[in-house]
Amino acid sequence: MAKPSSGTVNPHSRTGVRIVVAGDQGTGKSSLIITAAADNFPVNVPPVLPPTRLPEDLYPDRVPITIIDTSSRAEDSDKVAEELQRADTVVLTYACDRPETLENLSIFWLPHLRKLEVKVPVIVVGCRLDLRDENQQVSLEQVMSPIMQQFREIETCIECSACRHIQVPEVFYYAQKAVLHPTAPLFDQESQTLKPRCVRALKRIFILCDHDRDGALSDAELNDFQVKCFNAPLQPSEIVGVKKVVQEKMSEGVNERGLTLTGFLFLHALFIEKGRLETTWTVLRKFGYNDDIKLADDLIPPVKRAPDQSVELTNDALDFLKAIFDAFDGDRDGMLRPRELEELFSTAPESPWIGIPYEDAAEKNAFGGLSLDAFLSEWALMTLLNPNFSVENLIYIGYPGDPSSAIRVTRRRRLDRKKQHSDRNVLQCFVFGPRKAGKSALLNSFIGRPYSESYNPTNEDRYGVNVVDISMENKKYVVLREIPGDGVRRLLSNKESLASCDIAVFVHDRSDESSWRTSSELLVEIASHGEDTGFEVPCLIVAAKDDLDSFPMAIQESTRVSQDMGVEAPIPISVKLGDFNGLFRKIVTAAEHPHLSIPETEAGRSRKQYHRLINRSLMAVSVGAAVVVVGLAAYRVYSARKNASG
């Protein structure tokens, strides 16, 4: 594998690199900049230079460079800080003939950058090399090694002389290179190894180039890879040379079929160690990766949808995921264990289901394994909550089709109500209720968790997803979203908060009158919000803890409220006894018929009656106006006939 061609016209997404030069007074900042730009050492140097542009064709990447000089005066410190915070990379200067300026880098400048939270590569430059005392010759590595150990943000150290034109262009070449081909995302300087995200990206690239899927890059595949990335073929002798270099270091890097993944990764580590980061970056960018070693945004199709539309995976995507599940279920037990799941996502930057909200959202077995239904449920949840992220991860694991063919945008919920039917495959159910009503227990049971008497309050929204089978042909993915009691106000602060809800469930502890009262108040609050915003949702009332005695007047109260608001009578369940009274199927049925089970408040009913009255009045006026018009027309006809006969 060769270095990228120098004739390439800006292969980067960057339109320019902004380099800020800072350091102690008299360390040669301005002289360095003028000499780089004009190729002449200045006789008279102004205190601070205006922004300076270097010629675009000065370096192979052909990315415009703007150099910002900074003042060393204390009164200009705020302006210097502002410039440093806008930098793509920082050049810190010291004078080779003044050791105290070198010490000041670690005493002041480098800590100052950290304090300002300037998280960009730093190039340390020793200027005025020609003035250093010949009796004090010390190697640059010896001087800088302790500082670089302490400050990992230092990318490169170099010494130069503007007066003698020694290594001046190299200073800004390294500065530009640190931005366009940064070390930090690729390589861990401390352990001297490729970083995990880099390894995962290179593994995906290797698999994409291994066309015959035999676990090695043949000579032909290696040559195709070279042409794709660098627009130049490899000669047979070069291929032999590459494999020889690998084989001398590690026997497992090459086998009878060609270059293995181990060998491929070794080559890239070798390039980076030798300072040829541009080689690895060229490969990554050719396969669509950005500076964070994630797929560039323009490779992920944008998803446009109204607030009351959702996004689901298509049958093509589901068929692909079923095949992937089978391919990675190594022991053929119908479950993906954590190790198998990690291998499945080993070509993504990291497993997407680590942490909230996915980690504990689906049903798992005792070993933490996912069944096919649970695996597809996780994908359904991810596509619902973050469709772009879902498509991105489909691409990482090898989805072969056009990414836009993996998802579909559903019909608007408002239209579903008019059509009196929803054809969604993924239904989102908001679960409301006061503390200790049994919301979390309901979610836990839905995803196969055992019942527990201990109470752990939920403080943030929590998700549970599973498959609900209505019939052989009708299988739905249901997402339960638990809304904590103190999260309702936050939810309703957004006008469109109910737009993404297919159905709402209101849980109360049927043995506790105050729990019922709070839950019914929540029902009225949600119904009112739906009426006010136009995003009404079907609602069900759930009487949890049916194993306990209900509070007095429970039946009369709940019957009255359900009748007044036009919803089903409360559904009694007992999570403790495992009796759910068909609740999950009832949730699906209510969501599939979104024109039913919509609660109506007193205010909403009055508003409808008012609108009905207005419409009737307008109708009466319209009919009256029509009669008058007909009457006038008839009078005109009568008059015309009378005049004609006269």
Side-chain angles (χ1 to χ4, degrees), residues 316-328:
D316 286 348
L318 290 170
D319 288 343
F320 165 74
L321 289 172
K322 289 171 186 174
I324 281 285
F325 182 94
D326 288 340
F328 283 87

Side-chain angles (χ1 to χ4, degrees), residues 479-493:
V479 175
L480 299 185
R481 177 183 173 186
E482 181 185 352
I483 312 293
D486 54 5
V488 176
R489 183 173 296 176
R490 186 170 62 250
L491 178 79
L492 298 187
S493 63

